[in-house]
Amino acid sequence: MERRRDQRKALEKQKPADAVLFMSNIMSKMQTLLHQHPYKEHRWLKLDVDTKDPELIQQLQETLKGGNIVVAVESRGGYHVVLEKGPFCRSLYKFATAVNEGVPKEDQWITIENNEGPMLAIPGTNQGGFVVQCAIEMWKQGVK
């Protein structure tokens, strides 16, 4: 018992009262940790493709040859595609840079998102009057 009391006193001397964590700070930190993916290196890329032009889609799919499509959905204005990173990434970044060069950000038809958690429209839900549909098979066939 004596040892714990000594430890507690030592801790109290080291930290001023305002440095002690409050319950709200602990809850906030816990929620942040719960929403993070446990794997720190991002394994997936999300493509936000804002076109349904078959020629442009075919060019993009040619760039993604050999890629592993995790999920793809057709939204009102185009597609959202999540894929595993791989050897094709370099050519994908070059392709996106080339097609978006000189185009204002709001008019770019392809955006690569490399963040912690890709968020997608859920197939079957309504998005601005359009029912979101699963497009995995179409994209997997296109990148074979």
Side-chain angles (χ1 to χ4, degrees), residues 96-109:
T97 303
V99 298
N100 289 330
E101 190 173 357
V103 178
K105 193 165 181 91
E106 61 273 358
D107 294 332
Q108 294 177 357
W109 68 270

Side-chain angles (χ1 to χ4, degrees), residues 95-122:
F95 176 77
T97 303
V99 298
N100 289 330
E101 190 173 357
V103 178
K105 193 165 181 91
E106 61 273 358
D107 294 332
Q108 294 177 357
W109 68 270
I110 183 170
T111 308
I112 301 171
E113 298 175 14
N114 184 18
N115 54 14
E116 293 182 10
M119 293 175 47
L120 303 169
I122 300 169

Side-chain angles (χ1 to χ4, degrees), residues 17-120:
D18 60 333
V20 176
L21 290 175
F22 292 102
M23 191 60 163
S24 62
N25 293 347
I26 293 171
M27 292 301 292
S28 175
K29 181 68 174 172
M30 188 173 79
Q31 287 175 341
T32 301
L33 291 172
L34 285 173
H35 284 92
Q36 289 178 350
H37 194 279
Y39 191 66
K40 292 295 179 194
E41 292 187 28
H42 308 299
R43 186 174 165 187
W44 299 281
L45 290 176
K46 177 190 169 205
L47 301 180
D48 185 7
V49 182
D50 292 330
T51 185
K52 291 188 180 181
D53 182 345
E55 289 180 19
L56 294 175
I57 299 297
Q58 185 177 8
Q59 288 177 8
L60 177 58
Q61 288 175 337
E62 287 293 322
T63 305
L64 299 175
K65 285 289 186 198
N68 183 20
I69 305 294
V70 177
V71 67
V73 295
E74 181 180 3
S75 62
R76 182 173 48 121
Y79 298 92
H80 295 265
V81 182
V82 177
L83 49 117
E84 257 185 272
K85 288 182 177 180
F88 61 87
C89 285
R90 180 172 284 163
S91 61
L92 172 63
Y93 281 109
K94 286 180 183 177
F95 176 77
T97 303
V99 298
N100 289 330
E101 190 173 357
V103 178
K105 193 165 181 91
E106 61 273 358
D107 294 332
Q108 294 177 357
W109 68 270
I110 183 170
T111 308
I112 301 171
E113 298 175 14
N114 184 18
N115 54 14
E116 293 182 10
M119 293 175 47
L120 303 169

